[in-house]
């Protein structure tokens, strides 16, 4: 059976002590789950990263950053250098989250610069993609995802696939006003994504896990995780309580195992 990915982006929510408590509890809760079966990752906010790396047992939880600059250093006030993230001991960075694209106006070309920089620093690089409600309405979801992937991974070599993760997060499904995608719709978009990744990277694309994110909750996690093209769940609000996230993971794993035995 394939390894399942479960992760959460804490956005700008938990402060330093809340992040510490959350991570310690999540490790305690999930310790008995074999890490051969799951990859568990958490992406806290920048100001908490040093505390997170100090307090969290990294054998159980991989920690990541929510964004980074494509340059190592220079006149980039307010940006975070990949060298600084590496110095903190991080090995995962998320690029192109919907809020970076749609609230802060980042473009595919900028995401590509960041992806290339992250890979060149040896980070696991999680590229987030997703269509808006309007693009879905116009029937151009697949085209949108293909173009985000083609530009996002422009001039990235197939040898880098071992360090690439992709999260499909339809913009209309994310956050408090989001509507969760149905499992069938998510599966059909994941198939499109896997086809596009194959076009870009050839066979090495099979190494890239593709996660679904956007209003994942205890009521839909199981129907999503059993979809053949969904390799994991990228969970926001429903993961921010360590007990509830632990339950969601276990329930999803159970259903996945039953479905695949
Ligand atoms: C997100 O913002 O990436 C996300 C998946 O959030 P939520 O699960 O809360 O919709």
């Amino acid at each position: 059976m394939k390894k399942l990915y479960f992760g959460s982006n804490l956005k700008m929510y938990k402060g330093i002590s809340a992040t510490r408590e959350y991570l310690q509890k999540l490790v305690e809760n999930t310790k008995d789950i074999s890490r051969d079966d799951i990859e568990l990752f958490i992406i806290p906010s920048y100001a908490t990263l040093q505390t997170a790396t100090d307090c969290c047992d990294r054998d159980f939880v991989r920690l990541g950053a929510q964004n980074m600059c494509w340059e190592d250093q220079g006149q980039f006030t307010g940006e975070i250098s990949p060298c600084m993230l590496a110095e903190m001991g991080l090995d995962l960075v998320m690029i192109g989250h919907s809020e970076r694209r749609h609230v802060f106006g980042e473009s595919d070309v900028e995401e590509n610069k960041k992806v290339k920089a992250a890979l060149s620093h040896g980070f696991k690089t999680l590229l987030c993609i997703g269509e808006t409600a309007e693009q879905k309405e116009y029937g151009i979801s697949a085209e949108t995802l293909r173009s985000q992937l083609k530009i996002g991974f422009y001039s990235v070599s197939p040898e880098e696939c071992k360090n690439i993760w992709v999260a499909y997060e339809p913009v209309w499904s994310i956050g408090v006003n989001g509507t969760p995608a149905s499992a069938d719709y998510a599966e059909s978009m994941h198939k499109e994504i896997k086809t596009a990744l194959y076009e870009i990277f050839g066979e090495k694309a099979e190494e890239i896990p593709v996660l679904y994110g956007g209003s994942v909750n205890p009521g839909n996690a199981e129907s999503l995780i059993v979809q053949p093209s969904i390799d994991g769940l990228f969970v926001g609000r429903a993961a921010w309580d360590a007990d509830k996230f632990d339950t969601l993971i276990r329930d999803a794993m159970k259903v996945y195992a039953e479905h695949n035995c």
Side-chain angles (χ1 to χ4, degrees):
M1 269 189 295
K2 70 183 177 190
K3 187 175 197 171
L4 299 176
Y5 288 67
F6 294 97
S8 184
N9 161 26
L10 304 186
K11 307 194 184 194
M12 199 176 70
Y13 280 108
K14 291 184 191 292
I16 292 173
S17 56
T19 300
R20 184 191 300 112
E21 276 165 34
Y22 172 74
L23 288 171
Q24 287 174 338
K25 195 159 190 205
L26 190 61
V27 168
E28 273 318 302
N29 283 351
T30 60
K31 234 177 186 165
D32 62 308
I33 305 174
S34 166
R35 267 38 181 188
D36 292 336
D37 296 334
I38 64 164
E39 170 82 46
L40 179 58
F41 64 97
I42 299 295
I43 308 187
S45 66
Y46 281 123
T48 72
L49 281 176
Q50 190 66 68
T51 302
T53 54
D54 291 345
C55 80
C56 179
D57 188 337
R58 314 275 286 286
D59 290 341
F60 296 100
V61 177
R62 191 189 288 273
L63 294 172
Q66 296 181 6
N67 183 22
M68 59 163 234
C69 187
W70 55 81
E71 293 288 347
D72 287 357
Q73 61 176 10
Q75 301 178 97
F76 298 99
T77 303
E79 287 292 310
I80 311 282
S81 159
C83 303
M84 296 170 193
L85 298 177
E87 207 178 336
M88 271 193 257
L90 295 172
D91 60 0
L92 168 66
V93 67
M94 172 169 68
I95 305 292
H97 185 271
S98 165
E99 289 150 16
R100 296 304 317 168
R101 293 174 186 267
H102 298 288
V103 181
F104 297 100
E106 291 183 9
S107 67
D108 286 321
V109 173
E110 285 168 327
E111 311 309 5
N112 175 245
K113 288 201 236 178
K114 295 180 188 201
V115 163
K116 285 193 288 190
L119 290 168
S120 77
H121 280 272
F123 291 115
K124 296 278 180 213
T125 302
L126 170 62
L127 179 67
C128 300
I129 58 170
E131 81 282 10
T132 62
E134 194 181 27
Q135 288 162 330
K136 181 169 182 275
E137 180 65 28
Y138 281 124
I140 54 166
S141 300
E143 289 87 339
T144 303
L145 300 175
R146 176 171 275 100
S147 102
Q148 289 173 341
L149 291 168
K150 285 200 135 171
I151 302 173
F153 292 127
Y154 179 72
S155 93
V156 171
S157 100
E159 273 54 55
E160 302 281 16
C161 286
K162 60 181 182 303
N163 282 327
I164 293 172
W165 302 353
V166 169
Y168 168 55
E169 299 201 293
V171 179
W172 46 270
S173 77
I174 290 180
V176 281
N177 298 318
T179 313
S182 70
D184 286 347
Y185 183 82
E187 170 63 13
S188 70
M189 290 303 119
H190 276 241
K191 276 196 190 137
E192 298 282 356
I193 291 166
K194 293 206 169 200
T195 304
L197 289 171
Y198 195 86
E199 280 168 26
I200 298 166
F201 294 118
E203 280 176 9
K204 292 270 186 198
E206 283 165 26
E207 296 175 23
I208 302 175
V210 183
L211 286 64
Y212 171 79
S215 295
V216 174
N217 61 62
N220 64 10
E222 295 168 15
S223 62
L224 288 161
I225 201 68
V226 297
Q227 301 303 318
S229 308
I230 295 182
D231 302 314
L233 301 175
F234 193 28
V235 190
R237 291 154 294 154
W240 296 341
D241 175 298
D243 291 334
K244 289 187 181 150
F245 194 23
D246 173 51
T247 305
L248 186 150
I249 292 168
R250 285 175 198 276
D251 289 349
M253 288 179 73
K254 186 162 171 275
V255 170
Y256 178 81
E258 285 164 4
H259 198 263
N260 289 283
C261 69

